[in-house]
Each structure stands twice: as structure tokens, then as C-alpha cells.
Amino acid sequence: MTSTPRSLDRLTRPRSIAVFGGKEARRVIEQCDKMGFTGEIWPVHPRETEILGRKCYRSVAELPAAPDASFVGINRQLTIDIIRDLANRGAGGAVCYASGFREAASELDDGNDMQEALVAAAGDMPIVGPNCYGFINMLDGALLWPDQHGMQRVEKGVAILTQSSNIACNISMQTRGLPLAYVMTAGNQAQTGLSDIACAVLEDPRVTAVGLHIEGFDSMAALERLATRARELGKPVVTLKVGKSEAAQLATVSHTASLAGNDRVSSALLARLGIGRVDTLPALLETLKLLHVAGPLDSRDISSMSCSGGEASLMADAGERYRVNYRPLRDEQKKPLKDALGEMVTIANPLDYHTFVWGNREKQTTAFTAMMKGGYAINLLVLDFPRLDRCDPADWETTCHAVIDAARATGARAGIVASLGENMPEATALFLMKAGIVPFFGIEEALDAIETAADIGAVWAKPAPPHLLDGIEADDGEAVTLSEHEAKVELAAAGLTVPKGKTAATAEEAAAAAEALGFPVVLKGLGVAHKTEAGAVKLNLTSRDEVYAAARTMAGVASGYLVEKMVGKAVAELIIGAMRDPVAGPVLTIGAGGILVELLDDSAIVTLPTTPEAIGEAIGGLKIRKLLDGYRGAPAADYAALIEAVAAAASYVVANASKLEELDINPLMVLPNGQGAVAADALIRRRK
């Protein structure tokens, strides 16, 4: 698959649509008519003379003009022929509905060949699919969509893109008040990937944000282009990236034949690009609502108000699971709140404002205004609505108006949260959205959305990261493992500090080398994979005789010896590793090293190339950070040297990206402040 060879504008915002096929094609016409599409629709069928009151054409050649968009709902072999004819006619693009291509390669021997033939037939004409439903454009009423949906016309809104047509159907039925401008499917992404489609709809001035349901990344270059353009336009992108579990990865491969990649690498990649990530469909929709109304958030500081201590407790406890901050009230907020709510109310954040002002719009507005003057990124009010078929919602509506009044008076962002999502009527959600208030369905979903919007805001507030390594294929040569000494020589040339050392062939030479280096020393047996387990490492040897004796004990397992000066007592031991991800290419891992590697499971992924700032952030998120800061009176680590060491390792990986198979520096001995960081052991595997 390659990047889109031509603009998608005609396809996604068509003025003329050609439809090919029977039942599915008829449904496309029905949906366009139902949604008020005002452009031309040209049915093409070999036998029919008219379909739904429109003249039916026999072939592409008979069409009045080259169509902007085409829905091709016929069998896979004929699909290839029609796509070729449309491309030759100069059409704007097509949706390929048929299945039986690469997604079915395990069942059909010709699946891969058919997909390659389809792409070749399209040439430089954009195609979406195959194996997909197409798309819904509710801004223009243009639907290349052969099924029901639950959407309505909008003037502006978000775009949601997915590889799964069924997920798209489900999203179209949402009743959460989210204005859907586009819902689009990509199927196999044979020629045009999700990122390219997202870039196209992002350019529509009526689109406010984009959501992606990703099973496998289509192209790193396209994803980076999307992130860059989103940032330039101020239109955030959020993803629901599946593939955390082994079962999900297997389902992904069977459905789309795309690469899921390492999930932790995916998270690091998306975070680097400023693309938000959520884990559930409800969280995706709630995050898009927030981004549609407010855009990315400039901090994690939030306020919460409710008329119940129980709800205040739910909000406080949920906040422990998300990276949000219920920042304490400012002094200037407290008196207005106390005046409005009375002496019996404890002024705090989250705030239980009790029911003393319930049903009183003026007093509620005064209290909510005081809270919203606190400079929070967003202000939340928990409000579960009564059943409209059995109860009177008048007082709840009064509270909504008070929130709207306060938000307008202060210019602050605000959201109303139903602790149970089903307790917010769709009509209320639509009303709140129109008034600029985010209607959140669920406490967890609200905080998830806020965390994600703040993540995007934090990345956008910093300079754009350097361009990703992309398109670097591994060399074909045989993989070889360097000796520890050879690895350290290379790393030293790249800027890492390594212990002074010498190699020796015999026990006598090892003893002499130790004497020349000066004691204490460490002796290591060369040619041993797991030195510690094999007894091929001896530390803190203080004399020639000790070195000689140690070397003699290793003679049966070692092919030679490495003698090194002992490194001083470390504040902490870290590991720096590199691996080749199938999607992102070479990436770096930083984590707790030495014996803590398996015990703590404490590591961070750094995508490449990187910066000292990004390295510092990664280290700052590790559990071992407490040791580095100086735990219980111990000295603090040499942070500057640590960051320099990681940066040097990253530069080495980038410089050898096509050759490197594996890098493992463990441990990196981080010494007290001012004393440096030393790579005490290293392994490099690379291709010749």
C-alpha cells in the first residue's frame, strides 16, 4: 500500500455519484435521497432501464461525465474491471464494497493477487477498500453507504474513521449528542489508508476533530503527516487503537492483514505525535465531544461540583485513576461560594454544594460562576436526569441553565456529567452541546476524555518533535553478535562512557592487564552468553593473584577474558535497550536495570530520533525515579550524565538503524551527581 496518489476531495465531497450493482447500489441511492443530497446520481446496471426514478446507464462509458464518487457494489472480478474503466474516464474515486481480497488470503489462493490487480487497475484514482461499506458525509448528505445508519444532517462536527464497517454502523447509532460530520470505513486499505482519509476530511473547514478506530497502522509517514496537519489546523485527533491482547492482534491480522505492532510502541508513537489514545468506544465518543466543543486542554486542573456528597466522593475516587488534578480553590473563590451556598456547605474541590440552592437559577449561577473563576481547564457538574416518561425534569433544566449562564459569564469551559450515561436524555445532550457545554455520559469516560485532551494540549504546547525514522528496512546480511569489548568500543565512539579495560587470551595475561589498569577490577569471561549464571563474572578483585585464580576457574567456559576497572557505587542501575518494531522501526527502551529488570517491570519506550527533553520525561515516569532523586538520604544521581548516556545510545541506534538488530546496555551504572554514568555491560547484535 502506498500513500494516496491523488486528492480525495472529489470522492469525499462529491457533486456527482455513480452507483454500480443491485441491492446495495439501490440502498446508496435511497440513503442519498433520504439525506437530501442535491448532486447528480447515476445508476449503472447492465439490464435495468431506471432505478428509483433515475435513468440507468449500461457502462462507465455511457455516463454523462466522469463521476466525482462511485460506489462499486458488484463481485470482486467485475469490481476490478469497473475500477479500471472509472480510472480511464478520469473519475474522482471509488468505494470498493466487495470482499475476497487480501483479507481472505488464507481462504482464497488468489486473494493477494486480486488485491494487487485492483490497485493496479485504479492507477492514480483514489479507491477506498476493498471489503468496506464506504462512507457517510452528513455535511452534504452524500452517502456511499449501502445500509441503515442513525445519523442526521449537521453543519459542523467530527469525523470518525474505522477499518471495521460494523463498528462504523454502531457509531452511527450513538445517542450521546455528538455531531457526526463523517463516518468512514477503510476496509483493507489496499491503496488508501486511514491516515490519508483522515488528512482529507481534516481539510474540510466544517470538521472540528477526527477519531480513528485503528486495528493496524497503514503508514508511519502518513500518520506523521496527519499529526502535523492536525496541529497546524488546530483540529485534534484521537484514536482507539486495538491490539493490546494476543487475541485482538490475531483478530486484527485475520480481518485486515495489517500490522498491529508492539502495543507499548504504538502508545509511545501516538503520544510523541500528539495523537490522543483511548481504550473504549464510549471514551472515544466522549473525548471527541470534548474536543469538538473545547479543543485540547491547557492543563489537568479541573473542578467538580455536585449536590451530593456521594457524587463528590465518586468524582474524587475516580480522579485517583486518571491524571487529573482537583486543584484546591483559590482564596478569592471561597467567600463568594460561602455567600451563595451558606455556612453549612464545606467549600472544597470536589464541591458538594448540597440542595440549599436547588431549583434557584440565580443562586446556582452565582455559585457556579465563583467556581468557574478558578482558572481550571474545565469545570464539571455532576447531574443525573430523571426519567422523562415518569418524572418532572424542571429543576434539572434550571441547573443546566445556571451552568450555561456561569460559563458565558466567565468564558470558562464547562461540562455536565451524568454518573450513569443512560440518565442523560439525548435531547438534553444536544441542547447542552449547542450552548457550548460538554454533556459527558459517565464519570470514568469524562475523566478519560479530559486526560486525553490534556495530553494533546501538552504536546501541542511544545515544539514539534523531529521527524520519525521511516522507511528504514533491515539489511539482508547475516546477524552477528559483537563481543562485549567490541560493543563497548563502538558505544564509546558514540559518546557513552565505558570502564577502562583490556582483553586477554590467558589467565596470566589477564593478571598482567589487571595490574596495569590498577585495582580493584572486574574479570569477565568472553564468549559466554549468560555470564552471571555461568560464573563468568568476578567483581572487586584486588590483586594479581585473585585475578589469576578467577581466570583459571573460568577457563572451561570462556574463550578469553575482559579485564575492567571496577565502577564506583551506583545510585541506581538502569537498562538501555533497542529493538526493531515491525511498524515503527528501531525504538529505545529505558528502565530499571541490573537485577530489577524482571522484578520491577519498570520501563519506558522512546521513539526515534529523540531529544534530551523527551528522554528526561521518559526517565521521570519510571518507578526507579525515587532512587535517582536520592532515596532516604542517599545521594542523588547524575541526571545530566544519565540523559547524555541515553542520548548517545539513541544516536548510535539511529546511525545504525538499517543494521542493528539488538542493543542491550545492562547495567548502566548511574553514579552520584557529578560523577557520571557508565555502561558496565553491553550487547550488540547487528547485520554484516
Side-chain angles (χ1 to χ4, degrees):
M1 184 186 60
T2 61
S3 297
T4 304
R6 204 166 72 194
S7 170
L8 290 163
D9 288 350
R10 288 176 64 194
L11 174 60
T12 58
R13 298 192 284 276
R15 286 176 292 202
S16 59
I17 298 174
V19 293
F20 298 80
K23 179 177 63 176
E24 286 78 14
R26 177 181 289 267
R27 287 175 179 169
V28 168
I29 300 173
E30 290 172 343
Q31 292 296 343
C32 286
D33 286 345
K34 184 178 179 181
M35 291 298 115
F37 178 64
T38 58
E40 297 288 336
I41 300 178
W42 301 322
V44 180
H45 196 279
R47 295 180 301 277
E48 301 287 345
T49 57
E50 67 89 25
I51 295 178
L52 296 176
R54 289 177 173 84
K55 177 184 175 181
C56 202
Y57 299 89
R58 292 285 177 266
S59 66
V60 173
E62 285 189 21
L63 293 174
D68 290 328
S70 298
F71 181 87
V72 183
I74 52 184
N75 70 60
R76 60 184 188 138
Q77 184 59 62
L78 285 177
T79 292
I80 295 173
D81 297 336
I82 294 296
I83 291 299
R84 184 180 297 108
D85 292 343
L86 286 168
N88 292 336
R89 185 78 194 268
V95 167
C96 301
Y97 175 76
S99 58
F101 293 87
R102 182 159 291 157
E103 88 288 347
S106 59
E107 292 83 25
L108 300 174
D109 291 340
D110 63 348
N112 284 324
D113 293 339
M114 292 290 285
Q115 184 150 312
E116 290 174 7
L118 177 67
V119 173
D124 69 350
M125 181 187 75
I127 57 171
V128 175
N131 183 36
C132 79
Y133 262 31
F135 66 85
I136 299 171
N137 170 352
M138 274 299 165
L139 300 166
D140 305 304
L143 291 85
L144 276 74
W145 187 261
D147 204 346
Q148 298 184 90
H149 63 88
M151 296 164 62
Q152 60 184 355
R153 291 289 294 268
V154 295
E155 294 181 358
K156 66 175 184 176
V158 305
I160 300 182
L161 290 70
T162 173
Q163 288 167 253
S164 167
S165 298
N166 204 55
I167 293 292
C169 288
N170 298 343
I171 290 170
S172 84
M173 303 297 176
Q174 62 90 25
T175 58
R176 295 167 175 261
L178 178 64
L180 295 172
Y182 291 92
V183 168
M184 314 184 80
T185 65
N188 289 13
Q189 304 181 87
Q191 178 218 63
T192 308
L194 274 177
S195 297
D196 286 317
I197 300 172
C199 281
V201 297
L202 204 66
E203 297 293 339
D204 191 321
R206 301 165 294 179
V207 169
T208 56
V210 172
L212 302 177
H213 169 247
I214 300 177
E215 297 178 1
F217 292 121
D218 52 320
S219 157
M220 289 297 98
L223 189 67
E224 189 169 24
R225 281 199 305 273
L226 172 61
T228 299
R229 192 60 180 143
R231 187 172 182 146
E232 291 170 351
L233 294 172
K235 298 181 179 182
V237 178
V238 60
T239 65
L240 169 55
K241 170 69 173 69
V242 301
K244 289 189 175 184
S245 66
E246 183 178 349
Q249 291 173 10
L250 289 172
T252 295
V253 172
S254 66
H255 182 236
T256 63
S258 57
L259 287 171
N262 180 289
D263 187 69
R264 292 187 64 217
V265 174
S266 297
S267 290
L269 178 68
L270 293 170
R272 173 196 183 103
L273 296 176
I275 295 176
R277 182 176 186 180
V278 295
D279 292 330
T280 66
L281 277 174
L284 177 67
L285 300 184
E286 297 305 308
T287 303
L288 286 170
K289 268 196 278 186
L290 172 57
L291 294 173
H292 171 76
V293 173
L297 300 180
D298 53 15
S299 80
R300 302 183 189 282
D301 294 347
I302 65 173
S303 74
S304 173
M305 300 172 281
S306 64
C307 66
S308 159
E311 290 169 340
S313 297
L314 285 174
M315 291 295 288
D317 285 351
E320 294 293 316
R321 297 187 288 275
Y322 294 91
R323 289 173 288 114
V324 297
N325 177 34
Y326 291 114
R327 199 198 67 227
L329 297 166
R330 294 171 176 169
D331 289 341
E332 60 268 25
Q333 292 176 273
K334 295 176 181 177
K335 186 176 186 304
L337 280 167
K338 183 67 72 175
D339 291 344
L341 299 175
E343 293 297 323
M344 294 180 64
V345 173
T346 301
I347 304 303
N349 183 25
L351 173 67
D352 169 17
Y353 64 85
H354 291 234
T355 56
F356 303 123
V357 295
W358 183 250
N360 187 321
R361 179 171 173 176
E362 182 179 352
K363 286 190 174 183
Q364 283 186 322
T365 300
T366 299
F368 299 163
T369 298
M371 181 63 90
M372 292 186 195
K373 285 183 176 179
Y376 297 100
I378 190 167
N379 303 273
L380 304 178
L381 184 129
V382 183
L383 190 67
D384 281 59
F385 294 80
R387 292 180 58 126
L388 300 185
D389 58 342
R390 300 176 184 174
C391 307
D392 180 1
D395 286 342
W396 285 260
E397 291 169 356
T398 296
T399 303
C400 288
H401 283 289
V403 171
I404 294 168
D405 293 343
R408 287 175 177 169
T410 60
R413 298 184 180 99
I416 291 180
V417 182
S419 64
L420 296 175
E422 64 268 24
N423 286 356
M424 183 170 306
E426 183 180 19
T428 301
L430 292 169
F431 165 72
L432 291 171
M433 288 284 285
K434 189 173 182 180
I437 307 299
V438 187
F440 288 113
F441 283 48
I443 290 173
E444 300 278 344
E445 289 80 4
L447 298 186
D448 199 345
I450 291 167
E451 179 181 276
T452 304
D455 285 343
I456 297 171
V459 174
W460 283 12
K462 296 180 292 188
H467 287 297
L468 288 162
L469 293 179
D470 185 61
I472 298 177
E473 299 291 336
D475 287 351
D476 293 332
E478 178 188 353
V480 296
T481 301
L482 303 188
S483 71
E484 181 180 344
H485 180 65
E486 291 170 334
K488 285 179 174 175
V489 169
E490 292 219 351
L491 293 174
L496 274 94
T497 300
V498 301
K500 290 182 180 179
K502 294 184 177 183
T503 57
T506 66
E508 183 62 40
E509 289 179 6
E515 200 163 43
L517 285 170
F519 298 103
V521 298
V522 57
L523 179 70
K524 300 179 180 181
L526 296 177
V528 182
H530 302 286
K531 296 183 180 67
T532 302
E533 291 84 342
V537 178
K538 298 295 182 182
L539 305 176
N540 207 30
L541 302 175
T542 59
S543 70
R544 181 186 179 106
D545 290 343
E546 286 184 5
V547 174
Y548 181 81
R552 294 284 295 170
T553 64
M554 299 179 195
V557 295
S559 60
Y561 306 97
L562 174 62
V563 186
E564 292 180 330
K565 285 282 291 182
M566 278 287 295
V567 180
K569 182 174 174 57
V571 173
E573 297 182 4
L574 272 74
I575 183 172
I576 304 173
M579 64 177 181
R580 183 178 296 278
D581 183 76
V583 176
V587 295
L588 207 67
T589 303
I590 312 169
I595 63 171
L596 299 179
V597 171
E598 289 85 6
L599 290 176
L600 285 186
D601 188 23
D602 179 28
S603 64
I605 299 288
V606 178
T607 52
L608 300 173
T610 188
T611 63
E613 293 75 19
I615 292 169
E617 287 183 14
I619 294 170
L622 297 174
K623 300 171 189 173
I624 203 172
R625 169 70 185 267
K626 290 182 178 180
L627 286 179
L628 295 169
D629 288 342
Y631 188 62
R632 292 193 172 182
D638 194 334
Y639 255 101
L642 170 57
I643 291 174
E644 287 176 8
V646 177
S651 296
Y652 177 84
V653 174
V654 170
N656 296 275
S658 64
K659 299 178 181 179
L660 191 68
E661 285 296 304
E662 183 182 357
L663 169 68
D664 189 273
I665 300 170
N666 183 29
L668 178 75
M669 310 283 284
V670 188
L671 304 176
N673 194 25
Q675 297 182 32
V678 184
D681 198 355
L683 178 144
I684 292 175
R685 276 176 49 79
R686 69 179 184 199
R687 296 186 181 274
K688 291 181 180 179

